[in-house]
Amino acid sequence: MKNLVLFASIFSLLCTSSCNDVDPATVVLTVVDQDQNPLQGAMIELDCVTADTNTNSSECKDSVAQQGITNALGEATFTSDFDQVLKAEIAAVATDTAGMIDSLKNDAFIEFKVDEVKEYTITLYPTP
């Protein structure tokens, strides 16, 4: 009987310490230009957009906004402790072969899921 109680206690301890462990939601954004070349230095802002319609309403949680800058591979990584969908606003400046400077932008919705790593590629386009 003592062994059974000891086994149950150890099992319970292991479950509470490891069964509740979850990895944060991770999103890797790759930002490219129209020719699919990675864009280093693109500015990314993630934030909540409140829906306010008769069929759907949601509220933004505090402190969900995040910012980042893409690396040499055009990538930026973001994490969240909970499932959510955020709007990404991305902007960059690019110089073409003739030396002309273009302002590039795009928006996208990004989904975070706990225990998952999601990858998105976002193409930026010149602004008029």
Side-chain angles (χ1 to χ4, degrees), residues 6-23:
L6 179 63
F7 177 74
S9 297
I10 291 172
F11 180 75
S12 175
L13 179 65
L14 288 174
C15 251
T16 53
S17 66
S18 65
C19 293
N20 293 331
D21 289 345
V22 293
D23 291 328

Side-chain angles (χ1 to χ4, degrees), residues 60-80:
C60 295
K61 296 183 180 184
D62 291 336
S63 303
V64 296
Q66 298 184 47
Q67 296 179 340
I69 299 174
T70 57
N71 62 19
L73 300 174
E75 296 177 348
T77 302
F78 300 91
T79 60
S80 173

Side-chain angles (χ1 to χ4, degrees), residues 10-59:
I10 291 172
F11 180 75
S12 175
L13 179 65
L14 288 174
C15 251
T16 53
S17 66
S18 65
C19 293
N20 293 331
D21 289 345
V22 293
D23 291 328
T26 302
V27 167
V28 179
L29 296 181
T30 302
V31 179
V32 297
D33 63 14
Q34 288 177 303
D35 297 324
Q36 301 303 297
N37 297 314
L39 289 169
Q40 180 177 3
M43 301 288 295
I44 301 171
E45 287 191 27
L46 302 180
D47 206 352
C48 181
V49 176
T50 303
D52 188 18
T53 65
N54 293 334
T55 58
N56 180 23
S57 68
S58 65
E59 295 182 18

Side-chain angles (χ1 to χ4, degrees), residues 46 86-90 106-110 122:
L46 302 180
L86 297 178
K87 182 178 182 183
E89 295 180 353
I90 306 105
N106 203 353
D107 298 338
F109 285 96
I110 306 301
I122 301 172

